[in-house]
């Protein structure tokens, strides 16, 4: 059995992490979701599957991703030692490729020929389009119209890779609505099509399966930190939208009671305003996109539209395992505003020569605060989940970096 | 279990025809306009009406119903307005059965026991919850039973026979057979899968089997009435009201006329 796919204690057989998870889906999808669950169960225990995935992760993705000491950045974090897990150096520029390659192999095992996916910032869309090119699958990516505008470069990248990108015009025209549209496509085309879900949300088995494909991040990072520093970190920090990179790096540390796990969610313009995506801080338990978890919702159970400067975090839901980790107290979740994230983005760029994704900058902002709390003896591991190329347009506008005639 | 759905479906059967079931969301185009529109469904000839509780994330609905849901939600429709719609229609048409169709989160958030009690008090006969599979439905079914409400489950062409038996054993009132693999919306042809699904479903249950998804014309209604106990129409009614735009009375007249055509259709077989 491959190390990164071995069974942790949760979820239970019905896909529940405590009170969260489950499977809330139309009957038309029950057979397809059961097929994914059964095929994944078999694949997980198949040495050939593990070997092929391991080879792809090594030779195609470029794993293991390095661990980088960021001394100049650390000086701004109260002197605490900050170590970055460099998922931004993976092929396609983010952690998303880990999950996509696993599910692409699964799609081939299921005999399906078409893949659909949703994307917010485009990292998952680009990774999915990449895998579809590699495996020869037809590919359709659903993306909210708002996100196609703020992530135009990634739209072009997906099209270059041969994917069809559908701009979703319903609802808030962001990630939430892209997921709704992908579900509709799946209901109509389930015989030929796998829905390559991009985060640790959705109906069982997606939260557990996507987590398993990302556990490699934490498995590598834990060993790398031990080798580098001779001890475990005091805290592991990651940004949380749906929660896939965070669960990936957290999971291996869950049994290490002395290691604090800290998720940074998007506080947008502030959690005291209606313009945020701080689901765990401000949401309530409910059902969205096939699972019970925390949801930003009104008193009638209607989803409240989220806001974040980061398209990848602009989501009113959260993976059910995070809801469970919050309620059990094993992980802490803190809000980080747009401005705090952007300042951290600029700081890392100027002190280390690394331009992070705006998603990841939320984790960096969290690390700056935490470093000042913990002091210079602390070691903080930060998951740098993605690189910032896709966000340069947003960042350039935010900081006024365009020459006026160019940036109009 | 409610006597209402069983009574209405048995009466249609005694009349040697399929029942006609119409859907419209509450609050569309306005709360008062929506009440009139659902009444028009019954007045035009629907035996059973489904009152939609609009939801922000209707994953099983196509663009027509999603547009109506958006209009209703932007108009400020609340669950209490949906319950009032049920009450007004049930009071005005005691012979018809009134169901609520919605996604699970609004019910869960409102409170499972509270929703069942309030729906029953409003004169509702039951619910259809398309994203609540049998496995997740125990709490709801207990509350529904306590308040005499039916729980109608959906079966799909992809449902295997063993699964059909599990679903139909848990449901009451009737079984909603989805004619096609897809979301709500009118289609040129009702799927060929529907007749086979009805036959496979009947092999597992004594409950009436009604067919929905894609039916929009009297001809299609007649065709479906040839093999099913009921014909369910939604998007075509919604489209009539959308087409009428600001002209509320034209929308109501169009809905009533379509219901009458479909009612003729289910008698044609």
């Amino acid at each position: 059995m491959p190390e990164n796919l071995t069974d942790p204690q949760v979820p239970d057989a019905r896909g529940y992490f405590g009170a969260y998870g489950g499977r809330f889906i139309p009957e038309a999808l029950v057979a397809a979701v059961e097929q994914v669950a059964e095929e994944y169960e078999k694949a997980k225990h198949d040495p050939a599957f593990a070997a092929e995935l391991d080879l792809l992760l090594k030779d195609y993705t470029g794993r293991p991703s390095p661990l980088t000491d960021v001394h100049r950045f650390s000086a701004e974090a109260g002197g605490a030692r900050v170590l970055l897990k460099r998922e931004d150096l993976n092929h396609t520029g983010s952690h998303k490729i880990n999950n996509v390659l696993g599910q692409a192999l699964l799609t081939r095992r299921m005999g399906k020929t078409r893949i659909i996916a949703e994307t917010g910032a485009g990292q998952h869309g680009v990774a999915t389009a990449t895998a579809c090119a590699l495996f020869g699958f037809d590919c359709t990516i659903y993306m909210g119209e708002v996100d196609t505008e703020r992530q135009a470069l990634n739209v072009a990248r997906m099209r270059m890779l041969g994917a069809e990108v559908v701009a979703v015009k319903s609802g808030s025209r962001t990630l939430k609505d892209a997921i709704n549209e992908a579900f509709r496509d799946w209901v109509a085309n389930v015989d030929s099509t796998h829905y390559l879900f991009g985060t640790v949300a959705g109906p069982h088995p997606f939260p557990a399966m996507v987590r398993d494909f990302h556990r490699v991040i934490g498995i590598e990072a834990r060993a790398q930190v031990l080798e580098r520093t001779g001890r475990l970190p005091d805290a592991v920090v990651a940004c949380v939208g749906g929660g896939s990179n965070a669960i990936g790096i957290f999971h291996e540390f869950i049994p290490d009671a002395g290691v604090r796990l800290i998720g940074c969610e998007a506080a947008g313009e502030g959690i005291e305003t209606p313009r945020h995506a701080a689901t765990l801080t401000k949401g309530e338990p409910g059902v969205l996109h096939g699972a019970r978890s925390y949801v930003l919702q009104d008193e009638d159970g209607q989803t409240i539209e989220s806001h974040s400067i980061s398209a990848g975090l602009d989501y009113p839901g959260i993976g059910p395992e995070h809801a469970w980790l919050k309620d059990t107290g094993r992980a802490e979740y803190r809000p980080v505003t747009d401005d705090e994230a952007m300042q951290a983005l600029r700081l890392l760029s100027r002190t280390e020569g690394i331009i992070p994704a705006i998603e990841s900058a939320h984790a960096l902002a969290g690390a700056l605060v935490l470093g000042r709390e913990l002091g210079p003896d602390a070691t903080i591991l930060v998951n740098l989940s993605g690189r910032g190329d896709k966000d340069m347009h947003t960042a350039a506008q935010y900081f006024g970096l365009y020459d006026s005639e160019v940036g109009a | 279990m409610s006597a209402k759905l069983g009574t209405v479906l048995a009466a249609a059967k005694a009349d040697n025809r399929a029942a006609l079931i119409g859907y419209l969301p509450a609050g569309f185009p306005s709360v008062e306009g929506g009440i009139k529109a659902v009444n028009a469904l019954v007045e035009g000839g629907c035996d059973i009406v489904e009152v939609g509780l609009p939801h922000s994330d209707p994953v099983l609905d196509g663009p027509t119903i999603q547009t109506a849901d958006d209009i209703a939600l932007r108009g400020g429709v609340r669950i209490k307005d949906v319950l009032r719609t049920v009450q007004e229609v049930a009071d005005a048409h005691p012979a018809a059965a009134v169901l609520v169709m919605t996604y699970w989160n609004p019910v869960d958030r409102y409170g499972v026991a509270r929703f069942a009690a309030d729906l029953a008090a409003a004169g509702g006969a039951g619910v259809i919850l398309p994203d609540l599979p049998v496995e997740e439905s125990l709490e709801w079914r207990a509350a529904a039973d306590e308040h005499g409400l039916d729980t109608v489950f959906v079966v799909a062409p992809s449902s295997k026979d063993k699964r059909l038996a599990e679903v139909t054993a848990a449901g009451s009132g009737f079984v909603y057979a989805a004619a096609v693999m897809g979301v709500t919306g009118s289609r040129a042809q009702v799927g060929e899968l529907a007749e086979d699904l009805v036959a496979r479903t009947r092999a597992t249950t004594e409950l009436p089997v009604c067919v929905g998804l894609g039916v929009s014309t009297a001809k299609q209604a007649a065709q479906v009435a040839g093999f099913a106990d009921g014909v369910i129409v939604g998007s075509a009614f919604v489209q009539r009201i959308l087409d009428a735009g600001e002209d509320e009375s034209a929308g109501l007249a169009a809905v009533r006329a379509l219901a009458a055509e479909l009612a003729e259709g289910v008698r044609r077989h």
Side-chain angles (χ1 to χ4, degrees), chain B residues 162-180:
Chain B
K162 179 167 171 287
R163 175 84 188 164
L164 287 177
E166 289 164 8
V167 173
T168 57
S172 62
F174 65 89
V175 182
Y176 188 134
V180 294

Side-chain angles (χ1 to χ4, degrees), chain B residues 151-162:
Chain B
T151 303
V152 173
F153 283 104
V154 180
V155 295
S158 59
S159 306
K160 296 177 182 127
D161 289 346
K162 179 167 171 287

Side-chain angles (χ1 to χ4, degrees), chain B residues 80-207:
Chain B
K80 63 180 168 49
D81 301 314
V82 178
L83 293 167
R84 185 161 72 81
T85 301
V86 170
Q87 177 129 34
E88 299 257 349
V89 175
D91 286 353
H93 301 285
V98 186
L99 300 170
V100 163
M101 180 159 185
T102 191
Y103 295 85
W104 178 239
N105 199 48
V107 175
D108 182 65
R109 180 79 171 147
Y110 190 85
V112 172
R114 179 180 168 218
F115 188 82
D118 289 358
L119 179 58
V127 297
I128 307 171
L129 298 159
D131 67 339
L132 187 73
V134 170
E135 293 80 0
E136 300 286 357
S137 70
L138 286 176
E139 186 189 7
W140 166 256
R141 283 190 281 142
D145 284 348
E146 190 184 331
H147 293 281
L149 297 170
D150 279 319
T151 303
V152 173
F153 283 104
V154 180
V155 295
S158 59
S159 306
K160 296 177 182 127
D161 289 346
K162 179 167 171 287
R163 175 84 188 164
L164 287 177
E166 289 164 8
V167 173
T168 57
S172 62
F174 65 89
V175 182
Y176 188 134
V180 294
M181 291 298 286
V183 296
T184 57
S186 301
R187 287 172 176 82
Q189 289 188 310
V190 175
E192 293 169 4
L193 301 166
E195 192 165 357
D196 171 63
L197 175 60
V198 170
R200 290 196 297 124
T201 306
R202 283 217 173 107
T204 70
T205 182
E206 297 294 311
L207 287 172

Side-chain angles (χ1 to χ4, degrees), chain A residues 43-337:
Chain A
K44 200 156 81 165
H45 300 286
D46 178 354
F49 181 85
E52 193 167 5
L53 181 58
D54 284 347
L55 194 68
L56 281 169
L57 290 176
K58 177 169 164 280
D59 291 352
Y60 191 72
T61 305
R63 302 208 70 92
S65 65
L67 192 69
T68 303
D69 251 299
V70 285
H71 303 287
R72 275 165 41 78
F73 182 85
S74 293
E76 304 290 329
R81 184 176 187 180
V82 177
L83 295 162
L84 303 184
K85 177 61 174 166
R86 300 293 304 279
E87 291 298 296
D88 62 315
L89 294 178
N90 291 338
H91 180 50
T92 71
S94 80
H95 71 290
K96 294 289 187 184
I97 192 76
N98 305 324
N99 166 50
V100 162
L101 291 173
Q103 287 199 52
L105 285 173
L106 201 66
T107 303
R108 201 178 61 191
R109 283 176 72 105
M110 291 189 292
K112 296 192 174 184
T113 56
R114 176 173 177 259
I115 280 178
I116 56 173
E118 82 294 339
T119 198
Q123 287 178 334
H124 177 57
V126 168
T128 301
T130 298
C132 288
L134 180 66
F135 282 77
F137 297 132
D138 287 336
C139 182
T140 302
I141 305 291
Y142 290 94
M143 191 167 185
E145 192 180 35
V146 169
D147 294 335
T148 60
E149 288 161 9
R150 56 180 164 176
Q151 305 290 171
L153 180 63
N154 266 348
V155 173
R157 200 172 275 152
M158 287 180 259
R159 288 181 176 146
M160 181 64 70
L161 291 161
E164 183 190 353
V165 180
V166 179
V168 176
K169 296 178 171 64
S170 57
S172 57
R173 299 180 293 132
T174 58
L175 180 57
K176 161 180 97 71
D177 305 286
I179 294 176
N180 291 339
E181 209 56 42
F183 269 116
R184 293 186 181 108
D185 182 320
W186 203 25
V187 171
N189 298 295
V190 70
D191 283 347
S192 66
T193 301
H194 176 60
Y195 181 7
L196 205 164
F197 205 67
T199 191
V200 288
H204 175 62
F206 286 100
M209 180 172 74
V210 175
R211 172 200 67 197
D212 291 350
F213 288 134
H214 284 307
R215 286 183 63 218
V216 63
I217 305 170
I219 290 169
E220 286 178 7
R222 190 175 182 281
Q224 287 168 322
V225 174
L226 278 174
E227 189 192 352
R228 181 81 54 94
T229 70
R231 65 182 186 91
L232 290 171
D234 297 285
V236 179
V237 183
C239 67
V240 192
S244 68
N245 90 84
I247 215 79
I249 197 162
F250 284 176
H251 225 274
E252 194 66 6
F253 293 95
I254 287 176
D256 302 317
V259 179
R260 288 171 68 180
L261 305 177
I262 297 176
C264 297
E265 55 180 9
E269 294 173 8
I271 55 169
E272 69 287 355
T273 77
R275 306 241 321 143
H276 63 77
T279 309
L280 287 168
T281 307
K282 300 289 280 186
E284 300 276 352
V287 170
L288 176 66
H289 295 145
R292 176 178 297 283
S293 186
Y294 280 76
V295 181
L296 293 177
Q297 56 181 318
D298 69 15
E299 56 187 359
D300 267 7
Q302 310 292 355
T303 311
I304 295 172
E305 290 178 7
S306 56
H307 163 79
S308 169
I309 193 170
S310 165
L313 302 183
D314 195 352
Y315 181 57
I318 178 83
E321 192 165 8
H322 285 291
W324 180 68
L325 289 172
K326 171 190 161 72
D327 281 10
T328 58
R330 180 62 190 94
E332 308 160 48
Y333 295 88
R334 298 180 170 192
V336 171
T337 64

